Amino acid sequence: MSVEFHGHTHRLDWADPTVREWDCTVVWSDPADPEAGIVLDRSAFYPGGGGQPPDYGVLLWQGVTTRIIGTRKGDDFFLLPAPGDPIPSAGTAVRGALDDVRRSTLMRTHSALHVLCGTVFRDFGVLVTGGNMEPGEARMDFNLPEVPPGFKQLIEDTVNKEILNDRRIDVRVLSKEAAYAIPGLVRTQGAAPPDTPELRIVEIVGLDVQADGGTHVASTGQIGRIEVTKVENKGKQNRRVRIRLAD
Ligand SMILES: [Zn+2]
C-alpha cells in the first residue's frame, strides 16, 4: 500500500497506468504563491524519475483550466501550474487530465528501454551505466568495452523480435526481502536497490526484471517497432545506444 502514496497523494499512475482523467480534491495550495504548486488527494501525473520525465496535463474546475507543466517532489507531490494560470484553493473539487500523447509515448519509450536493457544483458551479460528518455527517443549506456561487427543492426533486430513476441509486462509490489531475493534485480552498475519496506517490480516476462517506479505498457507488442539510431563510444568501457520509436 505504501508505494501507492506520495505524502497525501494517492498515486493513480501506479495503481493503473492507463488512467488519463479522474476526479479529485485539492489538499493544499497557496494562491498567493502559485510556484509552490498544488497537492491533490488523487493524481495520475507521473512525477518524473528513473529517467522518465514528468507528465503534463490540466486541472479543470469551476469552468477554468489550470495547465500543469511540471512537478516538484518533496514530502508531498506538488503539481506546478503554468505561469499566470488560476490556482484552485484547498478543498476545491477538480478534474485532472493528462496529455495522453506525451504519457502514452513515454510509456512505450520506457518499456522499449527495458526490452533493450534485458536483451543486452541476456546476450552480452553487461550492465547499464546510465540512461534517459524523451517522448519517442531514448538512450542507454552499457558497460561494453568492445562491440562486435554489425552490433547496431543486431540489437535493433533482437529488440524488435522481443517486441513482436508480445511479452507481458507485469508490475507488482514486493516486500524488501522478497525483492532482494530476485537475482540481478539491479541492472544499473554500482546502483543499490531502493532501501524501502516495499519495492515496485517491473517484469517483462521471460526477459527482464527490475525495481522501477515508471509507467509501462501492458505488453511489449504495444511498444511498436523501434530503430537503433546510433551506437556511440562514450569512454573506454561505455557504449551509448540511442533508440527511437519507429511506429
Ligand atoms: Zn525503467
Side-chain angles (χ1 to χ4, degrees):
M1 198 57 184
S2 60
V3 302
E4 294 204 349
F5 277 84
H6 182 149
H8 291 88
T9 306
H10 184 192
R11 290 273 306 267
L12 301 179
D13 57 320
W14 272 344
D16 178 0
T18 67
V19 171
R20 295 291 181 269
E21 292 186 34
W22 69 101
D23 291 313
C24 53
T25 302
V26 176
V27 174
W28 183 91
S29 72
D30 182 356
D33 182 12
E35 287 175 20
I38 300 161
V39 178
L40 303 176
D41 63 343
R42 289 153 33 91
S43 168
F45 283 91
Y46 184 70
Q52 182 179 336
D55 287 327
Y56 301 155
V58 292
L59 304 179
L60 306 167
W61 50 286
Q62 297 169 12
V64 297
T65 300
T66 305
R67 290 167 294 164
I68 300 301
I69 57 161
T71 63
R72 180 167 67 83
K73 290 180 277 186
D75 290 342
D76 262 314
F77 170 33
F78 300 88
L79 301 176
L80 302 180
D85 279 11
I87 306 298
S89 56
T92 306
V94 306
R95 184 151 181 87
L98 300 185
D99 177 337
D100 173 51
V101 171
R102 176 179 171 84
R103 157 60 91 74
S104 296
T105 307
L106 281 168
M107 284 167 62
R108 293 167 57 210
T109 309
H110 197 161
S111 296
L113 271 187
H114 283 219
V115 173
L116 174 67
C117 174
T119 53
V120 171
F121 183 73
R122 181 194 64 195
D123 298 347
F124 297 91
V126 295
L127 291 171
V128 171
T129 54
N132 209 357
M133 76 194 84
E134 292 298 327
E137 284 186 351
R139 63 171 172 83
M140 190 161 261
D141 295 347
F142 295 96
N143 178 9
L144 193 60
E146 299 290 334
V147 295
F151 177 76
K152 179 169 168 279
Q153 192 63 46
L154 177 69
I155 289 293
E156 180 174 305
D157 293 345
T158 312
V159 168
N160 281 322
K161 192 168 149 241
E162 294 300 347
I163 287 170
L164 279 177
N165 280 339
D166 202 19
R167 293 180 182 272
R168 217 173 64 233
I169 303 180
D170 286 345
V171 178
R172 59 190 190 277
V173 176
L174 295 180
S175 70
K176 185 160 103 176
E177 293 70 28
Y180 280 31
I182 298 172
L185 181 69
V186 174
R187 291 282 164 84
T188 303
Q189 187 167 304
D195 188 17
T196 48
E198 292 178 324
L199 273 76
R200 189 170 176 275
I201 305 297
V202 175
E203 175 173 18
I204 301 177
V205 175
L207 185 65
D208 188 69
V209 187
Q210 296 188 42
D212 189 88
T215 57
H216 290 268
V217 293
S219 70
T220 61
Q222 295 180 22
I223 296 168
R225 205 166 54 83
I226 66 112
E227 275 173 18
V228 174
T229 52
K230 225 176 198 178
V231 177
E232 298 167 278
N233 270 339
K234 287 283 163 184
K236 228 180 180 172
Q237 301 282 326
N238 261 316
R239 293 296 175 277
R240 174 165 293 174
V241 178
R242 291 186 183 274
I243 63 169
R244 70 175 199 91
L245 301 180
D247 288 341

